[in-house]
Amino acid sequence: MVFIRYMTARLVLPALFCVLLTSGPAYSEGPLDEGMGLLNNKCADCHDLKGPAAATLEDFLSRKGPDLFYAGVKYRKEWLSQWLVSPKRIRPAGFRYSENIKRVSGEDDMVDLGALKPHMALSREMAKLAAATLMSFKANEELVKKNALTDAPADAFMGELNFDKFSGCLACHEIEPEYGGVSGPEVYTISERLQPDFIYSYLKSPQSFDPKTFMPDKELSENFLQILTKFMLTLEEDEEDDEGEGE
Amino acid sequence: MTLINRSVAGALLFSAAFIFLTSLSAYGVDAKLIYRTYCTQCHGLDGSGKGVNTESMSVQPRDHTDPKGMSAISDAQLRKAIAKGGLSVSKSVLMPPWGATFNDEELDALVSYLRELCKCSE
């Protein structure tokens, strides 16, 4: 009996103490808490993790990266965790094009490549944790129409015609590398990056998600919303172009 | 004489304050910043229509610094083109409607700013 007490005091209790220490109270509430710590540490300086969206132009312009407080209804988890490991620029003129362009006498304005800042990269483990945590951010869920797309197949010809001519999306968005406007995000990688229901809902009313965004509300009809969303989802990136990194 | 001078000075001061306050209510918004944020992507940093997006555009954006072209457009037409898009004034679809983005005050301020850019009136 004395031996058992001795063993308990000298071996079992310290061992138990060590286990408690290594499991740690910081991780006791689950991996999302750990993920929040990571996001607060690495991402919060440039991204809004809590919302709401900017209500004034000054607030809008003070944000250095996309709002992430509704990341869970916007992004695809697999893409997030891969992109965070090797970030590649999505907007050719950066997150705020107006801060990254320069005048060229007699010519069109140009992207000031020197002004573009790269996005930090995370380790595979950190990226996985960040992506899992971001996917739990479900603000604006009520703005996203569930199963928004009909069963009618995408029409590539009508889709491109609509994107380019009828709705004028090409003015600001690249439909393939180096073809299209540069102030908005490229759309040829949209199927990898974003959830279809979000694309549809954002096209329908960008200002519902971000009142000050420089993506205008094109007042698209239901037919155009279906055509455009499905068309963009059929686009794929040309593997030749994989240079550059950042937002 | 002194009384007259004082009255004139008072009236001038009152007028200046009135003009300042009314211009604030109409243009309290920073039209130049709005233009830079939303319009320069197509119309260019200097408003000449040479924006960073224009290379792939089938119809080139309007030169806002062209006094002749701009003076041919009324303030009402400019406002309509901004709020409801190019198609609403029989122009290109590439000019999108910004009615969901700008409020009435911002639209008025933008029209006034366009008149500054073109150094012209309707």
Side-chain angles (χ1 to χ4, degrees):
Chain A
M1 194 63 185
V2 174
F3 176 73
I4 291 172
R5 276 186 190 163
Y6 175 82
M7 289 299 284
T8 305
R10 298 299 296 265
L11 295 174
V12 178
L13 284 177
L16 199 63
F17 184 65
C18 281
V19 169
L20 280 172
L21 269 185
T22 50
S23 62
Y27 308 127
S28 63
E29 292 174 32
L32 288 186
D33 281 353
E34 197 182 343
M36 272 313 298
L38 172 68
L39 295 181
N40 283 326
N41 185 25
K42 299 276 187 187
C43 315
D45 279 354
C46 297
H47 299 277
D48 189 332
L49 304 174
K50 294 176 182 168
T56 66
L57 184 54
E58 288 71 21
D59 188 7
F60 174 74
L61 292 173
S62 74
R63 302 190 180 200
K64 300 171 194 162
D67 288 342
L68 293 179
F69 60 89
Y70 54 94
V73 301
K74 176 179 179 181
Y75 297 110
R76 285 183 181 273
K77 187 180 177 184
E78 300 74 20
W79 174 83
L80 266 180
S81 52
Q82 286 167 15
W83 190 86
L84 287 168
V85 172
S86 49
K88 185 185 161 197
R89 196 174 307 288
I90 296 162
R91 297 167 175 82
F95 179 62
R96 293 268 178 261
Y97 81 88
S98 60
E99 295 165 5
N100 304 316
I101 53 177
K102 59 182 179 185
R103 278 185 65 190
V104 182
S105 183
E107 304 284 328
D108 294 343
D109 294 341
M110 283 181 64
V111 177
D112 183 358
L113 296 174
L116 299 175
K117 297 177 184 70
H119 191 282
M120 72 163 70
L122 300 180
S123 69
R124 230 165 254 293
E125 194 182 329
M126 282 162 79
K128 202 173 166 187
L129 180 59
T133 311
L134 286 169
M135 293 310 291
S136 72
F137 293 179
K138 300 283 190 184
N140 289 339
E141 200 166 18
E142 73 286 357
L143 299 176
V144 178
K145 186 178 177 183
K146 300 270 188 305
N147 304 313
L149 299 179
T150 63
D151 293 334
D155 182 330
F157 176 73
M158 281 306 293
E160 185 158 356
L161 199 60
N162 199 311
F163 190 89
D164 186 355
K165 305 291 182 198
F166 301 159
S167 299
C169 315
L170 190 68
C172 301
H173 300 275
E174 287 185 339
I175 202 171
E176 60 185 66
E178 296 183 24
Y179 180 56
V182 297
S183 58
E186 65 199 21
V187 295
Y188 55 87
T189 55
I190 206 168
S191 63
E192 300 164 31
R193 296 188 282 112
L194 305 182
Q195 298 174 33
D197 288 345
F198 174 80
I199 301 170
Y200 169 97
S201 304
Y202 191 86
L203 286 182
K204 189 170 186 177
S205 177
Q207 282 67 34
S208 299
F209 294 87
D210 189 359
K212 295 295 171 186
T213 176
F214 44 81
M215 162 96 172
D217 181 349
K218 298 282 288 188
E219 300 166 6
L220 299 166
S221 66
E222 175 62 23
N223 187 34
F224 276 25
L225 284 167
Q226 293 286 335
I227 289 172
L228 283 169
T229 309
K230 287 174 186 173
F231 167 67
M232 286 192 281
L233 287 168
T234 64
L235 299 174
E236 286 179 5
E237 183 177 14
D238 184 348
E239 291 301 321
E240 282 175 20
D241 182 72
D242 59 355
E243 293 296 318
E245 59 176 32
E247 182 43 53
Chain B
M1 191 66 183
T2 311
L3 187 66
I4 293 170
N5 278 348
R6 275 186 188 167
S7 302
V8 170
L12 281 173
L13 248 166
F14 178 78
S15 305
F18 180 76
I19 290 167
F20 176 72
L21 285 174
T22 49
S23 68
L24 252 193
S25 65
Y27 311 121
V29 287
D30 187 342
K32 192 174 179 181
L33 187 62
I34 293 175
Y35 190 89
R36 167 117 191 170
T37 306
Y38 298 93
C39 313
T40 54
Q41 53 189 322
C42 298
H43 293 282
L45 285 167
D46 62 358
S48 65
K50 294 180 180 296
V52 73
N53 282 341
T54 52
E55 191 179 336
S56 56
M57 291 171 78
S58 51
V59 178
Q60 292 300 290
R62 180 166 288 281
D63 176 357
H64 291 153
T65 63
D66 169 24
K68 194 178 173 190
M70 289 294 285
S71 60
I73 310 168
S74 69
D75 286 356
Q77 286 289 94
L78 285 177
R79 199 179 192 283
K80 190 175 179 185
I82 301 169
K84 301 190 174 193
L87 283 183
S88 73
V89 290
S90 305
K91 297 292 179 186
S92 172
V93 69
L94 297 181
M95 170 64 189
W98 292 100
T101 306
F102 305 135
N103 60 30
D104 285 346
E105 198 175 38
E106 289 166 332
L107 288 169
D108 290 340
L110 272 172
V111 171
S112 295
Y113 184 66
L114 290 178
R115 292 298 177 205
E116 278 180 41
L117 276 177
C118 71
K119 299 184 178 71
C120 68
S121 54
E122 58 182 309

